[in-house]
Amino acid sequence: MMQRRQFVISPELVQRIAAIDVGTNSIRLIIAEPLADGTYRVLDDERENTRLGRNLGSTGKLDPEAAQRSLDTLRRMRQITEGYQVQMMRIIGTSALREASDGEEFCRKVREEIGLNIEVISSEEEAQLAFFGVARHFDLSNKNVAVADIGGGSTEIVLALGPLVEKTYATRLGAVRLSEAHGGGQTWTDEQFAELTRSIDTTLEKTLKKPVLWPHLLVGSGGTFTSLAAMIMAARGKQALPVRGYQVSRAEVRHLLDALRKMTPKVRRCVPGLSPERADIIVAGLSVIDRLMKYLKLNLLQVHAGGVRDGLLLTMVDRSLGPPTDDPHDRWAAAERFATACGTDLNHARHVARLAGQLHEQLAPHFGLEPADRPLLEIAALLQDVGYVINYDQHHKHSYQLILNSRLSGLRPGEIELIANLARYHRGARPKKKHEQFGQFLPAERKRIRKLVAILRLAGGFDRTHSQQVESVTVVVHPGRVELLAHSRQSPEVDLWGARRRTELFERYFEVPIDINWAGASTATNGTAAELTAPAAP
């Protein structure tokens, strides 16, 4: 049984929220009230098929007629939200507005003429919203899961180990886009259908390559999946059942797909369970489902009725419960919960975090390090090994993905990105500009990250045995060199060896040689030694 969080909603907090999803195929408004279990109750659900992305693939611009229809729809939706006295609202734009050369101009018109501000989100944000909704409504524990959200212009795919997102993929496999590109809308000829299938297969092979994990289950969100379930349920006389959670086999997908593609548009519009407005794009949408299941070797999918808008509403519910806290103890607790969910050795992780914090505090005044980076470094140390839950040999790369896609409370997106990069480079190759996730930082940020990585590697080396034998480390700055003194009750030879093996990055980025010794066998007679007054991590 899936557990839900319990909240106490204060009367002063937001009571009515609204989400508008401006998509390639349709615009959807949902008005809701937050509930005490962290979900919401729908008050109104409005949808208009405006086909904003019609002919976008060939023209690169929004269709003028569809754009005007979309403006009219948004104006009407704003009036509805005012009638409901909505107190918090978010409007997001997806594939069509991301790609259209005049997408920004459309958003400006909406802002100036209607007074609504559209946030054009990235494909990664779209995927995360879809997954967030699935993770809140489905029990994903102990499962490798693929979550796919099929829209009019794109399909986002998330691979996750239970509730932990490992990788997100963005494709241009939208139902509207594919239908227009391959002659859909009419009866599909064998040649057209074969071309459509080859196009989808090529995109999946290029995008997914060899997946980081093989899922046991596909959970699908978006109109294509709900239409699939509705048609199969209608054929079985089960229209009264809820769509959410309905299971469909790949054999059922293929059988329905084969029947629909051979129908004329007139016959297809009359299929029970299928909206007539979706009849011209359903074959392309179902083909994406079929080929994705084949590529991922899946025979079963479950349907989620919510889609991206559900994830958006749930994030708003969380926000309506009060502002996020910047209390360092709260964000440390969130990081510990995340580490625990990944099966991390917490004794080792906490100790490495403590050592990393000590090293940073003592090095900061001598090498211009920012004191505010210490807690981020400590959290990176705590989470550096979360990738073990996916794979041992490449765990540092998996740690990066897991942290980047996490929703750690109390941390801003930029801070999460920094922490993810520190975890990525706590072992293996040094940070290089040619690495995509590292090269996107400005030169000053890359320099900052490199120094933090060097400290993190040393801290990890001091607990190579995972026995916490090295209790603390003193930094002694001599003229022209740095000495680290490890404090322990007996000679920690293996841990000293582990730290000495990790000095290369420190000497490269701090531009000073480093010596590592046991405090019991070495006495600092020159230089400046910092006293160990740094508190342990919260």
Side-chain angles (χ1 to χ4, degrees), residues 306-520:
V308 171
R309 61 191 175 276
D310 176 56
L312 179 61
L313 276 170
L314 289 170
T315 63
M316 295 173 69
V317 168
D318 287 353
R319 286 174 56 189
S320 76
L321 299 172
T325 177
D326 286 329
D327 188 329
H329 288 79
D330 286 350
R331 61 184 181 179
W332 179 265
E336 283 211 349
R337 287 194 297 270
F338 183 57
T340 300
C342 295
T344 298
D345 177 355
L346 279 181
N347 287 333
H348 168 69
R350 289 167 176 157
H351 194 65
V352 172
R354 181 172 180 271
L355 295 178
Q358 288 179 355
L359 289 170
H360 185 277
E361 183 184 51
Q362 296 174 78
L363 290 166
H366 302 284
F367 295 95
L369 304 180
E370 291 293 332
D373 282 343
R374 176 182 173 178
L376 302 180
L377 174 64
E378 290 173 333
I379 292 175
L382 182 72
L383 301 179
Q384 65 179 15
D385 291 333
V386 294
Y388 278 134
V389 72
I390 303 292
N391 177 277
Y392 177 81
D393 291 332
Q394 298 293 316
H395 77 270
H396 53 300
K397 296 180 180 179
H398 296 300
S399 293
Y400 169 80
Q401 292 292 344
L402 289 169
I403 296 169
L404 190 66
N405 291 295
S406 68
R407 299 180 61 85
L408 292 172
S409 61
L411 290 167
R412 299 171 180 84
E415 294 173 329
I416 291 177
E417 193 166 13
L418 183 141
I419 290 168
N421 271 272
L422 296 183
R424 161 65 177 85
Y425 293 109
H426 83 273
R427 66 182 294 274
R430 60 183 173 85
K432 297 177 182 177
K433 185 179 177 180
K434 68 178 182 180
H435 296 163
E436 182 179 356
Q437 81 283 350
F438 181 69
Q440 65 182 334
F441 289 100
L442 296 173
E445 291 298 291
R446 292 199 294 269
K447 183 177 181 181
R448 170 193 179 199
I449 291 172
R450 284 177 172 131
K451 287 187 174 181
L452 294 176
V453 165
I455 295 172
L456 181 58
R457 289 200 181 193
L458 284 173
F462 276 117
D463 197 37
R464 168 135 186 133
T465 60
H466 286 228
S467 62
Q468 295 78 62
Q469 189 173 358
V470 174
E471 297 173 357
S472 60
V473 179
T474 297
V475 175
V476 185
V477 180
H478 299 279
R481 68 184 179 92
V482 168
E483 183 179 16
L484 303 184
L485 299 176
H487 299 265
S488 64
R489 290 180 174 82
Q490 58 186 5
S491 177
E493 195 53 45
V494 175
D495 293 320
L496 293 178
W497 173 77
R500 287 167 183 153
R501 291 182 70 235
R502 295 183 167 206
T503 59
E504 188 265 333
L505 290 193
F506 186 93
E507 294 182 337
R508 174 189 289 267
Y509 300 138
F510 284 81
E511 299 179 339
V512 62
I514 186 172
D515 295 325
I516 296 176
N517 298 298
W518 176 36

Side-chain angles (χ1 to χ4, degrees), residues 32-321:
E33 288 182 347
L35 298 178
D37 64 352
T39 60
Y40 56 85
R41 179 171 69 91
V42 175
L43 302 178
D44 202 347
D45 187 343
E46 299 286 331
R47 175 193 176 117
E48 186 71 33
N49 278 51
T50 63
R51 290 289 169 89
L52 183 60
R54 186 172 61 190
N55 300 322
L56 178 60
S58 57
T59 66
K61 294 184 176 182
L62 302 175
D63 181 84
E65 182 181 337
Q68 184 58 52
R69 189 161 56 248
S70 297
L71 285 170
D72 294 340
T73 297
L74 288 169
R75 186 175 289 107
R76 179 172 59 85
M77 287 182 172
R78 171 164 185 173
Q79 293 172 346
I80 294 172
T81 63
E82 290 174 346
Y84 275 96
Q85 298 181 327
V86 165
Q87 296 154 284
M88 179 191 293
M89 178 164 58
R90 284 186 66 189
I91 307 101
I92 60 169
T94 54
S95 178
L97 293 180
R98 280 197 300 266
E99 297 181 23
S101 60
D102 55 349
E104 188 174 337
E105 180 184 348
F106 176 84
C107 292
R108 180 184 57 78
K109 283 185 178 180
V110 171
R111 185 169 57 253
E112 294 177 354
E113 296 180 14
I114 307 175
L116 297 178
N117 183 41
I118 299 178
E119 306 169 47
V120 180
I121 63 174
S122 68
S123 55
E124 290 77 15
E125 290 173 298
E126 194 173 351
Q128 289 170 354
L129 286 174
F131 181 81
F132 187 45
V134 169
R136 288 281 280 268
H137 292 296
F138 290 78
D139 183 2
L140 304 182
S141 57
N142 302 316
K143 297 186 185 80
N144 290 354
V145 182
V147 174
D149 183 79
I150 300 176
S154 65
T155 292
E156 283 70 41
I157 303 164
V158 177
L159 294 182
L161 179 64
L164 306 173
V165 174
E166 163 59 18
K167 185 75 172 176
T168 61
Y169 303 90
T171 75
R172 292 164 63 85
L173 298 176
V176 173
R177 187 195 302 275
L178 290 170
S179 297
E180 292 179 348
H182 298 284
Q186 305 301 315
T187 304
W188 289 75
T189 67
D190 290 342
E191 183 178 348
Q192 286 175 322
F193 188 70
E195 183 183 348
L196 170 69
T197 299
R198 284 194 297 270
S199 174
I200 296 171
D201 287 346
T202 299
T203 299
L204 291 176
E205 290 169 5
K206 181 179 179 181
T207 305
L208 295 178
K209 301 176 182 176
K210 184 179 180 181
V212 293
L213 55 85
W214 291 102
H216 306 130
L217 174 70
L218 171 66
V219 180
S221 69
T224 299
F225 284 99
T226 54
S227 296
L228 166 66
M231 286 185 284
I232 292 177
M233 292 166 70
R236 294 179 174 179
K238 297 182 178 180
Q239 296 96 319
L241 294 177
V243 170
R244 179 185 293 164
Y246 193 78
Q247 296 187 347
V248 181
S249 69
R250 184 173 176 233
E252 290 175 309
V253 175
R254 289 188 59 80
H255 177 75
L256 181 60
L257 178 58
D258 190 54
L260 289 171
R261 75 179 182 88
K262 295 175 181 177
M263 294 178 183
T264 64
K266 182 178 180 180
V267 173
R268 202 182 299 139
R269 282 194 291 270
C270 297
V271 172
L274 178 62
S275 168
E277 296 176 325
R278 192 174 288 275
D280 60 333
I281 62 174
I282 191 62
V283 171
L286 291 182
S287 295
V288 174
I289 297 175
D290 173 56
R291 305 317 293 176
L292 180 60
M293 293 183 78
K294 180 180 185 297
Y295 193 85
L296 295 177
K297 303 179 176 64
L298 291 169
N299 291 316
L300 188 68
L301 68 86
Q302 280 187 289
V303 176
H304 175 45
V308 171
R309 61 191 175 276
D310 176 56
L312 179 61
L313 276 170
L314 289 170
T315 63
M316 295 173 69
V317 168
D318 287 353
R319 286 174 56 189
S320 76
L321 299 172

